[in-house]
Amino acid sequence: MDKRRSAKSVRSAVEPRQGAQAIRRALAVLRILAAGREEGVPLAEVIRATALTRPTVHRIVHVLIEEGIVERHGRSGRYAIGNQVPELALARPRPSRLLVAANPSLQRASAEIGDTLFLTVRTGNDTLCVDRRIGVYPIQVLSIEVGARRPLGVSSAGVAILAAMPAQEARKIVAANEKRFEAYRTDVATVLGEVTAARRLGYGMREIGLVQGTKSISTWIKTPDGQPAAAMTVSAVRTRLGPRREQEVAEILLREARIIEQAIG
Amino acid sequence: MDKRRSAKSVRSAVEPRQGAQAIRRALAVLRILAAGREEGVPLAEVIRATALTRPTVHRIVHVLIEEGIVERHGRSGRYAIGNQVPELALARPRPSRLLVAANPSLQRASAEIGDTLFLTVRTGNDTLCVDRRIGVYPIQVLSIEVGARRPLGVSSAGVAILAAMPAQEARKIVAANEKRFEAYRTDVATVLGEVTAARRLGYGMREIGLVQGTKSISTWIKTPDGQPAAAMTVSAVRTRLGPRREQEVAEILLREARIIEQAIG
DNA sequence: GCGTTCTTGTCCATATTATGGACAAGAGAC
DNA sequence: GTCTCTTGTCCATAATATGGACAAGAACGC
């Protein structure tokens, strides 16, 4: 408790504000629910993912239902993000600067590559798909949709974003997501290995994508202050991304990532 | 405290869940911030509008900033809805059912009337503009944008929505908004008078719109269970909405409102 | 310059609030 | 029937969030 006093002058950067445990917990719950999209998430999984106790999660979720922030699905009893969240979101200008800046690059790269392209941002300890372009090639990986949210580290976009940040910060995020990795059949060590490999390679890559038989390549996009802002990903059936083509695709993605960085600078 | 026990069996409908004061307060703050759109709201106004104390609002707002839910604008120091809210909103399917159902009616009415058309929903104690169609007439009321949020009662859409609900419930909402009416130079008595007039007339009307020199006409749209779901509004410069044309416009709005009610039923 | 009136930010003793262990009850599986 | 999964609830208690009081800064007038 004396720590608080001594750190007074640098608090904003260093020390989390106190006196709002409940609010922080409610937000943690909301973020887990957001990962469940329309179908929602059963209570037990929220408890697991947040490491909170049953009564606490139960209370939070039900208060949020009363407030319209969370909805409960009739038959399944799963909890999901409610109507009022997009209503609050209308207060912000849309589309975001990043989306505007990335648009031409996505257009260009999609035409050039022909496979599905994703734009993914970091939000807290998650990755969030914010844009998608379908290519011209007849076989496309469509399983990841705009709004898809996963723990940072389980997708190639997540690996790329982690690779673009200071190693220590990346380790902290990966550690925080440990409990959630189980559901994706991975673990802290595997993810950190992939991140290191991505740093060496200059881009993120997954031989085995989240979808069976697919392969993904991701480049990171940094803000002027060096923080990773987003990742640009190509996903395709594995046979379409052999070593030679991997090289080609990576070069296009790297080129466009630099262009987007200029645009948001 | 003994009340809680006796009401046990009907709690879900009657009694608000306890043990989450902080979360409820944080949401109240967020809703006020949402009304400030991009420009945001100064802290003092949040304190006024929520009737919370300064330290409480300050703490809530700054925790929400740390969590990315709220942003603070550089020069003005105002607080606004942050980036992470639309990110959470991506978890929901867009566009909403109402928007889909109302689309053809808005199209048709807009072409027929020629003035600006708004679709407005109720969210808590607020009205929220969720769609807008610009007409063909050269003078258009454009000051109200998608995302605009006001206390229920200050706009003709709000009056229409209040008129469509049980009188007692409407009174409760109007009373809850009392503190926020000042900023719009109105009060509880005036609003209740307008609501009564709207009930008699069958639609909401404001001779003096929120924008100087404009007039608005609104019809309500109800869900199958009789709850008001939205309002459909025409705004125009006052001279364009004389008694005869008011009648015409109201009839078109009433016709389309019934069609939308069928579509969402 | 100095006072006045705004604003935002902070401290800390305190009472209220949120917490979680323990238990209950319901739904499936076998 | 039992076992195992889920969700929901109670209530004594500790910890949390609260708000009165104060500080400090900004903008204005003179």
Side-chain angles (χ1 to χ4, degrees):
Chain A
M1 288 289 149
D2 33 5
K3 208 168 106 197
R4 200 179 78 240
R5 300 189 133 282
S6 63
K8 202 199 257 182
S9 54
V10 283
R11 149 105 83 27
S12 65
V14 172
E15 213 170 342
R17 216 162 271 263
Q18 307 192 330
Q21 190 191 60
I23 295 170
R24 274 188 221 277
R25 287 176 166 186
L27 292 173
V29 168
L30 272 184
R31 293 194 187 103
I32 298 301
L33 294 186
R37 320 258 352 248
E38 285 126 276
E39 315 92 69
V41 179
L43 194 71
E45 200 183 315
V46 181
I47 293 165
R48 250 172 266 140
T50 57
L52 297 171
T53 62
R54 164 172 306 287
T56 299
V57 173
H58 184 266
R59 183 167 14 86
I60 288 172
V61 156
H62 281 264
V63 168
L64 292 176
I65 288 173
E66 280 181 16
E67 295 285 338
I69 300 294
V70 165
E71 280 173 12
R72 187 158 197 197
H73 289 186
R75 195 63 216 126
S76 69
R78 284 164 167 244
Y79 299 93
I81 294 290
N83 213 351
Q84 237 177 95
V85 175
E87 288 176 352
L88 289 168
L90 279 180
R92 282 186 67 89
R94 296 142 304 144
S96 79
R97 275 186 64 216
L98 174 68
L99 241 57
V100 172
N103 186 51
S105 286
L106 290 171
Q107 206 74 26
R108 206 162 33 229
S110 171
E112 221 168 318
I113 296 168
D115 289 295
T116 313
L117 253 147
F118 304 97
L119 187 70
T120 307
V121 299
R122 173 194 171 189
T123 176
N125 295 340
D126 291 357
T127 53
L128 176 68
C129 175
V130 294
D131 205 348
R132 182 179 80 170
R133 302 298 161 97
I134 313 293
V136 295
Y137 187 72
I139 302 171
Q140 293 283 317
V141 177
L142 297 180
S143 45
I144 296 146
E145 290 177 333
V146 172
R149 182 186 277 254
R150 305 183 203 293
L152 260 168
V154 305
S155 65
S156 85
V159 169
I161 287 171
L162 288 168
M165 53 173 77
Q168 202 190 349
E169 200 186 337
R171 265 199 302 277
K172 231 159 86 180
I173 293 172
V174 171
N177 279 339
E178 181 165 19
K179 285 200 192 65
R180 299 167 66 204
F181 283 159
E182 292 163 30
Y184 296 89
R185 295 154 173 269
T186 185
D187 54 61
V188 170
T190 309
V191 170
L192 288 179
E194 288 174 342
V195 170
T196 309
R199 270 201 207 100
R200 202 168 305 142
L201 207 58
Y203 54 88
M205 202 251 289
R206 290 201 112 219
E207 281 292 347
I208 300 150
L210 290 172
V211 184
Q212 212 32 310
T214 68
K215 178 170 169 176
S216 304
I217 300 170
S218 299
T219 52
W220 49 80
I221 296 161
K222 288 186 176 187
T223 57
D225 59 333
Q227 289 283 315
M232 209 173 165
T233 305
V234 166
S235 277
V237 287
R238 185 152 2 136
T239 49
R240 238 178 98 77
L241 284 173
R244 197 200 189 103
R245 183 155 159 80
E246 177 185 321
Q247 195 57 39
E248 271 174 45
V249 166
E251 267 161 34
I252 296 170
L253 289 183
L254 287 165
R255 183 194 74 205
E256 296 300 337
R258 296 299 89 75
I259 293 172
I260 296 171
E261 282 173 356
Q262 292 300 318
I264 60 175
Chain B
M1 288 289 153
D2 32 6
K3 208 168 104 197
R4 201 178 79 238
R5 299 190 133 281
S6 62
K8 202 201 257 184
S9 54
V10 282
R11 150 108 79 27
S12 65
V14 173
E15 214 171 342
R17 216 163 272 262
Q18 307 191 331
Q21 189 191 60
I23 294 169
R24 272 188 223 277
R25 287 177 166 185
L27 292 173
V29 167
L30 271 184
R31 293 192 187 103
I32 298 301
L33 294 185
R37 321 253 357 244
E38 286 126 275
E39 315 91 72
V41 179
L43 193 71
E45 200 184 314
V46 181
I47 293 165
R48 250 173 266 141
T50 57
L52 298 170
T53 61
R54 164 171 306 287
T56 299
V57 173
H58 184 266
R59 183 167 15 86
I60 288 171
V61 157
H62 281 264
V63 168
L64 292 175
I65 288 173
E66 281 180 15
E67 295 284 337
I69 301 294
V70 165
E71 279 174 11
R72 187 159 197 195
H73 289 185
R75 196 65 215 126
S76 69
R78 283 163 169 246
Y79 300 93
I81 293 290
N83 211 353
Q84 234 176 95
V85 175
E87 288 176 353
L88 289 168
L90 279 179
R92 280 186 68 88
R94 297 142 303 148
S96 78
R97 273 187 65 216
L98 174 68
L99 241 57
V100 172
N103 187 50
S105 286
L106 290 171
Q107 205 75 26
R108 204 159 39 224
S110 171
E112 222 168 316
I113 296 168
D115 289 295
T116 313
L117 254 148
F118 303 96
L119 187 70
T120 307
V121 298
R122 173 194 173 190
T123 175
N125 294 340
D126 291 357
T127 53
L128 176 70
C129 174
V130 294
D131 205 347
R132 182 178 82 170
R133 301 300 161 95
I134 313 293
V136 295
Y137 186 71
I139 301 172
Q140 292 284 316
V141 177
L142 296 180
S143 46
I144 296 147
E145 290 177 332
V146 171
R149 182 186 279 252
R150 306 182 203 292
L152 260 168
V154 304
S155 65
S156 86
V159 169
I161 288 171
L162 288 168
M165 53 174 74
Q168 202 189 349
E169 199 185 336
R171 266 198 303 276
K172 231 160 85 181
I173 292 172
V174 171
N177 280 338
E178 181 164 21
K179 287 201 190 63
R180 299 167 65 203
F181 284 159
E182 292 163 30
Y184 297 90
R185 296 155 173 270
T186 187
D187 54 60
V188 169
T190 309
V191 171
L192 288 179
E194 288 174 343
V195 170
T196 308
R199 270 201 206 99
R200 204 169 302 143
L201 207 57
Y203 54 88
M205 201 251 289
R206 288 202 113 217
E207 281 291 347
I208 300 150
L210 290 171
V211 184
Q212 213 33 306
T214 66
K215 178 172 169 175
S216 304
I217 300 169
S218 299
T219 52
W220 50 80
I221 296 160
K222 289 187 176 187
T223 56
D225 58 335
Q227 289 282 317
M232 209 172 165
T233 305
V234 166
S235 277
V237 287
R238 186 154 2 140
T239 50
R240 238 178 98 78
L241 283 173
R244 196 199 190 104
R245 184 156 160 79
E246 177 186 322
Q247 195 57 40
E248 271 174 44
V249 166
E251 266 162 33
I252 295 169
L253 289 183
L254 286 166
R255 181 194 76 205
E256 296 300 336
R258 295 301 89 73
I259 292 172
I260 296 172
E261 283 173 355
Q262 293 300 317
I264 60 174

